[in-house]
Amino acid sequence: MKITIISGSTRNNSASSKTSRYLKNQLLEINNKNTVDIFDLSEAQLPLWDESLDLTTLSAHADSLEASDAFVFVVPEWHGMAPPALKNLFFLFTGVFRHKPAFIVSISAGTGGRYPIQELRSTVYKNTYLNFIPVNTIIDRVNTIIDEDGNYIGEKQFVANRVDEGLKLLLEYGSAFQVIRKSDIVLEKRFPNGV
Ligand SMILES: Cc1cc2nc3c(=O)[nH]c(=O)nc-3n(C[C@H](O)[C@H](O)[C@H](O)COP(=O)(O)O)c2cc1C
């Protein structure tokens, strides 16, 4: 199974990037036969969606996302919202998330991180057909929990336990959704823009 971790910050040396590295290590520790990619929005330099954009120039990214069975979204809270570059992703890449599960990990240097979860859950699923699993994890005071190299440095296992629960469930959903994507009703693609 291929899992793609989307690091939702466009800042260099972001907390989202180091959190993504930690999550990648955790996923491989659970099952090292899986392929785990990090799609870091600070490195991808994606254009802001525009009607005149030639989307075929992004086909390498699109193919990689299409080949993924499950996603982890690492989302920092910026001004009480998900970063605009993350919302932009759903304009640039339509169809690649269809009937695939996703685990949201939201982060904050302080004690924020709640609003991006609600934002993604409220709207993103409709046209993408992305399935956010019921478990999400908020990492408050992220700089005291994960270091620059993606190591867990939290004093307690509180966050680690919740991440482990989310990742293990994501893998189970990932297997189940492989079956769902082969079903007649999914293959029919009756409502390409959501119902
Ligand atoms: C533009 C901007 C807006 C922010 N707004 C919030 C906020 O609303 N709530 C919050 O808890 N933290 C906020 N922060 C602080 C972030 O939690 C902190 O900078 C974190 O490291 C951001 O993640 P990143 O490093 O992955 O970009 C904001 C940071 C930036 C850069």
Side-chain angles (χ1 to χ4, degrees), residues 17 44 46 60 63 74-75 83 95 106 108 142 144 150-151:
S17 298
L46 297 174
D63 291 348
V74 181
V75 195
S106 68
S108 169
V142 62
T144 67
N151 297 312

Side-chain angles (χ1 to χ4, degrees), residues 9-11 13-17 76-81 107-113 142-143:
S9 173
T10 43
R11 298 174 62 235
N13 305 316
S14 70
S16 299
S17 298
E77 184 172 292
W78 281 8
H79 296 306
M81 293 179 269
I107 60 158
S108 169
T111 54
V142 62
N143 299 319

Side-chain angles (χ1 to χ4, degrees), residues 147-195:
D147 74 10
E148 293 307 315
D149 300 320
N151 297 312
Y152 191 88
I153 52 167
E155 283 177 21
K156 297 186 178 152
Q157 290 300 296
F158 182 88
V159 171
N161 284 337
R162 278 156 179 75
V163 165
D164 188 58
E165 170 87 0
L167 293 178
K168 284 179 176 160
L169 280 172
L170 180 72
L171 296 177
E172 294 301 329
Y173 279 95
S175 299
F177 273 96
Q178 285 176 334
V179 178
I180 291 170
R181 286 200 296 284
K182 290 187 187 128
S183 67
D184 289 345
I185 186 63
V186 168
L187 294 174
E188 201 178 311
K189 294 188 178 163
R190 199 183 299 178
F191 295 100
N193 296 324
V195 182

